[in-house]
Amino acid sequence: MKSLSGMRVGILIVVVLTFAASAIFSYQRQSEIRNHLELVQKSGAWSVSELEGELLKFTQVLELSGLGQRSQEQLTLRFDLLWSRLDTLRIGIETHAIRQQPGAVELFVELSQLLQKNENAVFALEPGDKPEADRLLNAFVAVQPKVRELNVNSFYDPYRMGLSEGGTPPPVSLSLSMLGLLLSGAALVLLVIRESARNRQQALHDDLTGLPNRKYFNALLQRTEADVANRGNRCGVLVIDLDNFKDINDTFGHAAGDQLLREVSQRLRSSLYDDAIVARLGGDEFAVLLQSSDDLSKCIEQVNRLCQRIGQAVEIGEERISVSASIGVSIYPDDGVSIRQVMGNADLAMYLAKRQEGVSFRIYDAEMSTQRLRRRELARQLRQAIVKDQLLLNFQPLVQLSSGKIESLEALLRWHHADYGYISPLEVVSIAEQYDLALVLNEWVIDQVCRQISLWQQSGLPGVKVAVNISPSMYSKHDLVGTVSRFIEQHGIDARQLCIEVTEDTTMRDIDSSPGILKALRKLGVELALDDFGTGYSSLSHLKQLPVHKLKIDKSFVQDLNTEPKDLRFIRTILNLAASMKLTVVAEGIESVQNLDDLRQAGCPIGQGYLFSRPVDAVAMEQLLLDQQAGRLLQGGDEMAANIDRLGCVTVYPTTG
């Protein structure tokens, strides 16, 4: 690269000297052209002009779409082109000067956030939906003056404005002057062509991996769509996303992350047929276009080969890093009327593949779109359900295995939808995380739990402790400590009556800040529990930093006790680990008396599950609390076994201390 750069500098010097020898006037004029071309190309002023043009075109199509005069495909095309113009300005050496202008970076961030925020709304906009189109139009029109101002400033050059005041050429022969002029002009043209080709290469390819970028891939999809229509064949689209890439960056450093991306890109290229095109869409997301996919089995064969290659560990320095990825597959035109729709289908299939462990792929089917529409509708109604208090909390006891007394309660979210019926808590949390509802949902739950604790206390039931599960986004992106403190103070309860439960994987989202968050909660007096212990990826060193009070053994390990031969070694290991760290252990998912006996034998102090009680509403739980306060207690497994009802439940009574 240095030799090529030196060669370009040498040619430029020769051109300048030849130009000066021919005529000062010619030199001035050619220098003006050269400087102006460099200004336009290297500063990216042309890119700013294109950005403004695409913004105007998009708003025009958006307005016409609201009137029903433009199709969804035309709108999304303009939206993608606007994205590509913005991407060109946000990265790359050629647009560095533009980003140095006052307010340029802030404008690009504002426009990027605007595009991300409204992407789903643009893709979902139906032609003729004027209110929604007007709302989107107002949002984008608001940034047009800023883009216009940046465009004007990008072409302004005070030096160039005074170039007309030049001198006269030196007294040299006309023939030499013309020859020098022709040679220098030809050299400049060659340099401009070379620089233009270089800039085009940079604009269409990823600097890190050398793969085509999102802009190139989108243009390729459009050309492929036309080819498929003409030839009547099929093509496959793959969307690939690396799993836990942020954790790799945080643990091993960004240099290791970059090396991993380069290695993955090489594996993708080497694992596919020659006519396949691999692109890096950004971050840890890749895409593949299989241009000949008439036979679905051949497509699946290539995907299986990809899975095998990607799943192999990568050696970076002295580290050996395991790689996992999720792949979504969709076929055009089988799965959509446009290749853009098929690209979205592949992205949806990739998202569903993430629910599986390790390197995995999912092939799109129509049911996935039905599920996506269902989730969108649930997300829309979830916000209303939170505001209107249409969600419910049930409570399940945590029981002292030696006595049958309830040590505390766990609050469990319930939502019964009018059309879809019972919505599982896991799906509610997943929807809240995906559609930016995690904050309002978690605040609602914490508020309701603190209110219920206060009500029980007013009913003469002091000391009831209730655990709340916190979703990952609430833990890593929002002020969890401030929220908990606010509701404890608002409802006037003792902080020791509240327990916050987080999973292992949640604490791994931000290893550096996790201990600080938990220490701040513990300082408030709140009890802390690590939920689903044994299923996450935390290390012992990380666990030692977390100031938790309880470890909750995931129910999958308890259910393993129902198989033969039984294996209590893992549970005993957790019990020994907890004892060394002075932590209390809770076993989840206890459903049989035999489970109870096995856990007692292993020395587990606390359990939770259907054997003791199903989750019940606040009224039923209050009755249990009042009954226990009256002195009715169960003692031991024999009495529990004698009280198993037809639902497989033991009625137990809680302590209130």
Side-chain angles (χ1 to χ4, degrees), residues 246-278:
K246 181 181 182 299
D247 294 341
I248 294 174
N249 262 339
D250 292 342
T251 304
F252 301 103
H254 290 281
D258 289 346
Q259 188 172 341
L260 175 62
L261 291 174
R262 286 191 290 266
E263 175 62 27
V264 169
S265 67
Q266 289 294 332
R267 292 181 179 184
L268 292 175
R269 283 187 284 202
S270 63
S271 302
L272 299 168
Y273 295 153
D274 292 338
D275 63 345
I277 305 296
V278 182

Side-chain angles (χ1 to χ4, degrees), residues 314-608:
V314 176
E315 294 186 2
I316 299 179
E318 298 180 355
E319 302 290 345
R320 187 175 177 84
I321 300 176
S322 298
V323 184
S324 177
S326 302
I327 305 174
V329 184
S330 186
I331 305 297
Y332 178 73
D334 297 7
D335 297 335
V337 296
S338 70
I339 202 165
R340 167 59 58 184
Q341 181 181 354
V342 168
M343 181 75 175
N345 293 341
D347 190 67
L348 174 61
M350 179 274 293
Y351 175 79
L352 296 177
K354 282 190 172 294
R355 300 180 181 179
Q356 303 169 234
E357 295 183 0
V359 182
S360 58
F361 71 91
R362 292 285 299 272
I363 299 175
Y364 172 81
D365 61 60
E367 180 63 23
M368 293 181 182
S369 290
T370 302
Q371 290 298 318
R372 176 169 57 181
L373 293 175
R374 176 182 182 275
R375 287 177 66 86
R376 285 181 179 176
E377 179 64 17
L378 286 176
R380 185 182 68 81
Q381 297 191 30
L382 176 58
R383 187 181 297 276
Q384 299 176 2
I386 294 172
V387 173
K388 297 179 180 179
D389 280 337
Q390 294 174 346
L391 303 177
L392 297 174
L393 287 182
N394 280 0
F395 301 88
Q396 187 176 34
L398 279 66
V399 179
Q400 296 174 1
L401 300 187
S402 61
S403 64
K405 297 179 181 179
I406 290 181
E407 186 266 350
S408 59
L409 310 175
E410 180 179 357
L412 300 169
L413 185 66
R414 294 292 183 265
W415 184 20
H416 190 275
H417 191 277
D419 297 324
Y420 296 113
Y422 171 71
I423 311 299
S424 74
L426 289 178
E427 185 174 14
V428 174
V429 172
S430 174
I431 291 172
E433 293 274 307
Q434 182 180 355
Y435 290 91
D436 197 26
L437 296 172
L439 176 60
V440 292
L441 177 63
N442 282 271
E443 285 188 340
W444 183 89
V445 173
I446 296 172
D447 180 27
Q448 294 297 313
V449 167
C450 292
R451 176 182 285 110
Q452 188 60 59
I453 292 174
S454 177
L455 291 174
W456 280 332
Q457 186 168 309
Q458 295 171 25
S459 300
L461 295 168
V464 179
K465 183 189 301 179
V466 183
V468 179
N469 290 281
I470 298 300
S471 67
S473 290
M474 186 64 189
Y475 183 82
S476 60
K477 296 181 180 179
H478 303 292
D479 184 11
L480 174 60
V481 178
T483 298
V484 171
S485 177
R486 172 160 51 91
F487 287 119
I488 287 175
E489 181 178 355
Q490 178 179 327
H491 294 287
I493 66 171
D494 189 333
R496 291 173 296 180
Q497 293 179 268
L498 186 65
C499 175
I500 298 296
E501 292 189 3
V502 293
T503 65
E504 278 187 276
D505 290 344
T506 297
T507 65
M508 289 294 291
R509 287 197 167 200
D510 193 337
I511 296 177
D512 295 332
S513 65
S514 282
I517 295 172
L518 296 178
K519 286 178 182 177
L521 288 170
R522 184 160 182 164
K523 188 175 181 180
L524 290 176
V526 174
E527 186 175 76
L528 304 172
L530 199 59
D531 198 15
D532 297 340
F533 186 74
T535 62
Y537 299 94
S538 63
S539 63
L540 181 59
S541 61
H542 177 59
L543 179 62
K544 289 170 62 178
Q545 298 179 50
L546 303 180
V548 297
H549 301 84
K550 289 179 179 176
L551 297 182
K552 300 189 73 175
I553 301 176
D554 186 72
K555 63 183 179 180
S556 61
F557 300 108
V558 176
Q559 291 170 353
D560 286 344
L561 299 179
N562 298 325
T563 61
E564 295 292 345
K566 296 176 182 177
D567 191 350
L568 280 166
R569 286 177 299 177
F570 186 82
I571 292 176
R572 289 195 179 103
T573 299
I574 294 178
L575 290 168
N576 292 333
L577 173 65
S580 68
M581 300 177 67
K582 299 181 179 180
L583 301 177
T584 302
V585 176
V586 179
E588 299 180 296
I590 302 176
E591 297 182 355
S592 69
V593 174
Q594 187 61 55
N595 290 160
L596 175 63
D597 291 341
D598 290 337
L599 290 167
R600 276 178 167 174
Q601 180 184 357
C604 184
I606 301 175
Q608 179 181 0

Side-chain angles (χ1 to χ4, degrees), residues 31-68:
S31 179
E32 177 191 7
I33 296 172
R34 183 181 69 252
N35 290 337
H36 181 54
L37 287 173
E38 290 179 355
L39 175 66
V40 172
Q41 289 192 349
K42 294 186 178 179
S43 70
W46 176 85
S47 297
V48 181
S49 178
E50 288 296 305
L51 176 65
E52 182 185 10
E54 288 301 335
L55 181 57
L56 289 172
K57 293 175 183 177
F58 171 70
T59 55
Q60 290 170 359
V61 172
L62 184 58
E63 183 176 9
L64 293 174
S65 181
L67 298 174

